[in-house]
Amino acid sequence: MTTQQTLKVQLVRSPIGCKQSHRDTVRGLGLRKLNSTSELQDTPAVRGMINKISYLVKVL
């Protein structure tokens, strides 16, 4: 009966010119174009990915 917490993430900076691993992390979060949003489950793995590319994304 517990509901999963979700996080909404928006890509606010272009990953062009960033490390390849950071670009892969952006794609792993389901973000494609600038200002695209993705709703993800709140897990430690997702939080780690968001932390890695915190300068590219905004948590809504």
Side-chain angles (χ1 to χ4, degrees), residues 19-50:
K19 292 181 178 181
Q20 182 64 44
S21 64
H22 290 203
R23 278 183 262 157
D24 295 340
T25 303
V26 168
R27 292 293 294 127
L29 288 174
L31 301 169
R32 302 197 81 175
K33 297 180 178 180
L34 209 55
N35 295 320
S36 65
T37 60
S38 183
E39 196 161 331
L40 306 157
Q41 289 185 355
D42 188 9
T43 62
V46 170
R47 282 186 177 257
M49 292 170 80
I50 292 170

Side-chain angles (χ1 to χ4, degrees), residues 7-21:
L7 295 169
K8 202 168 192 181
V9 182
Q10 181 179 20
L11 186 64
V12 294
R13 258 192 89 211
S14 174
I16 295 173
C18 297
K19 292 181 178 181
Q20 182 64 44
S21 64

